[in-house]
Amino acid sequence: MDSSAASAAAAAAAAAPVVLVTNDDGIDAPGLRFLVGQLVAARRYRVLVCAPDTDRSGVSHSITWRPALRCKRVDIDGATAFAASGISGKLFDGLVVSGINVGNNCGCHVIYSGTVGGAREAFLYGIPSLAMVASQSSVNDLKVAAEVVMPLINTVMAEIKNGTYPQGSFLNIDIPTDAAHHKGYKITKQGRYMARIGWEQTVYKKPAVESYQTANMDVDSEKDSEVDTSSENDLLFKRVLVRRSYDEEEGDDIDHKCLVDGYITVTPLGALSHAEADVIPYYKACLSRLYDLSSSSL
């Protein structure tokens, strides 16, 4: 390639729409790598990656406060990539895609999810964003998940370019287990599904617990390690799954129900958590009674 052709190619790459990929599973998570590969192969976008240097699953909106933010360049073919000790703030204008991570972010899981937290953080800074997770049974299935979400990413990018993409929400996308035979995309509502976590006493400093990267996947389980002998007064506990909660919910458009049914669920989310409207009159009445009680005690 001569210098003029190289310059033209560089100019075209610089002018391409920007997609920044992040996650909470870490820079080496297979879901992120497969998604970046699909975006690079599309030859339509300038692909940036900024992801945690280690697994930060479940951190939601945890921010870097006291220590300096550390960034290190990482080699990913076709992309400009950095591993970081934390992410916060407006980095660029474009589209943020957080994922693809393993598990599901239906119902109450969006509160804890670092995947959703990454997308919501971008949304708070006025940047269009998508959060993506896949209920996969193998690492290889994540590659299929990355393939099936590309039409959605391409559509969102086209809407952004045309100035028709709405600014009042971001999207939470859950991909079903059999992604290759999904039933299609479906707009859903956030339900109340929740996997409830408990704690069980252990003697190990590093107990074997499922990470968000390996939950429900056919990989070798981590073994308990490092028996704690430092102090007889210390009590150690490991995280365990107590039960899965499925509240009865009306309608055929609830996120977890549709995901189990085989749909790729697309749930619009906002920045705020509003209480149910019917409780507002009750609390107004409570405050009124509180004032009356305070007055009568004078």
Side-chain angles (χ1 to χ4, degrees):
M1 182 182 294
D2 59 33
S3 59
S4 59
S7 298
V18 176
V19 178
L20 182 141
V21 182
T22 189
N23 69 359
D24 62 341
D25 282 355
I27 191 77
D28 295 318
L32 179 142
R33 294 302 183 105
F34 286 136
L35 179 59
V36 170
Q38 287 292 317
L39 290 166
V40 170
R43 302 177 67 87
R44 302 168 66 170
Y45 310 118
R46 180 182 172 211
V47 182
L48 309 179
V49 182
C50 189
D53 49 10
T54 60
D55 185 357
R56 305 291 177 90
S57 296
V59 300
S60 188
H61 280 276
S62 176
I63 61 173
T64 303
W65 190 250
R66 292 185 180 277
L69 184 66
R70 301 187 314 274
C71 292
K72 181 180 180 180
R73 188 71 177 259
V74 176
D75 290 330
I76 299 180
D77 287 345
T80 301
F82 290 89
S85 60
I87 301 174
S88 182
K90 184 172 181 178
L91 302 176
F92 75 109
D93 291 309
L95 172 69
V96 166
V97 182
S98 184
I100 298 172
N101 288 356
V102 175
N104 84 71
N105 281 334
C106 295
C108 295
H109 286 193
V110 303
I111 300 169
Y112 306 98
S113 169
T115 313
V116 174
R120 187 185 283 114
E121 196 70 27
F123 170 71
L124 291 174
Y125 281 87
I127 303 172
S129 57
L130 313 174
M132 294 184 171
V133 292
S135 304
Q136 302 308 302
S137 58
S138 72
V139 173
N140 188 58
D141 286 343
L142 286 169
K143 184 175 182 180
V144 178
E147 293 170 356
V148 301
V149 296
M150 282 302 296
L152 178 60
I153 294 175
N154 292 336
T155 298
V156 169
M157 289 298 287
E159 293 292 313
I160 293 172
K161 181 179 180 180
N162 294 335
T164 53
Y165 192 74
Q167 298 182 357
S169 64
F170 65 99
L171 298 180
N172 181 35
I173 295 104
D174 279 85
I175 305 157
T177 302
D178 191 2
H181 302 96
H182 67 85
K183 294 182 178 179
Y185 295 94
K186 189 167 186 176
I187 299 296
T188 54
K189 299 175 183 176
Q190 181 186 356
R192 296 187 179 91
Y193 169 81
M194 183 176 183
R196 300 191 180 275
I197 301 299
W199 298 92
E200 181 179 282
Q201 192 166 356
T202 181
V203 297
Y204 296 100
K205 289 192 293 184
K206 293 185 177 181
V209 294
E210 287 185 323
S211 75
Y212 282 79
Q213 288 190 36
T214 58
N216 304 319
M217 299 180 71
D218 56 358
V219 297
D220 293 335
S221 297
E222 183 181 356
K223 300 296 189 295
D224 290 328
S225 62
E226 293 192 30
V227 175
D228 182 52
T229 59
S230 59
S231 173
E232 294 182 357
N233 297 322
D234 291 344
L235 298 178
L236 302 178
F237 296 86
K238 69 176 181 178
R239 173 172 51 85
V240 293
L241 178 65
V242 177
R243 64 186 176 89
R244 300 184 188 275
S245 173
Y246 303 87
D247 288 352
E248 293 296 326
E249 295 173 293
E250 298 292 333
D252 59 357
D253 59 352
I254 303 301
D255 52 5
H256 190 262
K257 287 183 178 180
C258 296
L259 178 66
V260 172
D261 237 6
Y263 290 96
I264 297 175
T265 63
V266 181
T267 308
L269 297 176
L272 305 177
S273 299
H274 296 287
E276 299 293 338
D278 58 0
V279 304
I280 301 301
Y282 168 81
Y283 286 113
K284 285 184 176 180
C286 276
L287 289 179
S288 176
R289 292 194 294 272
L290 177 64
Y291 178 77
D292 291 342
L293 289 171
S294 299
S295 298
S296 62
S297 64
L298 297 176

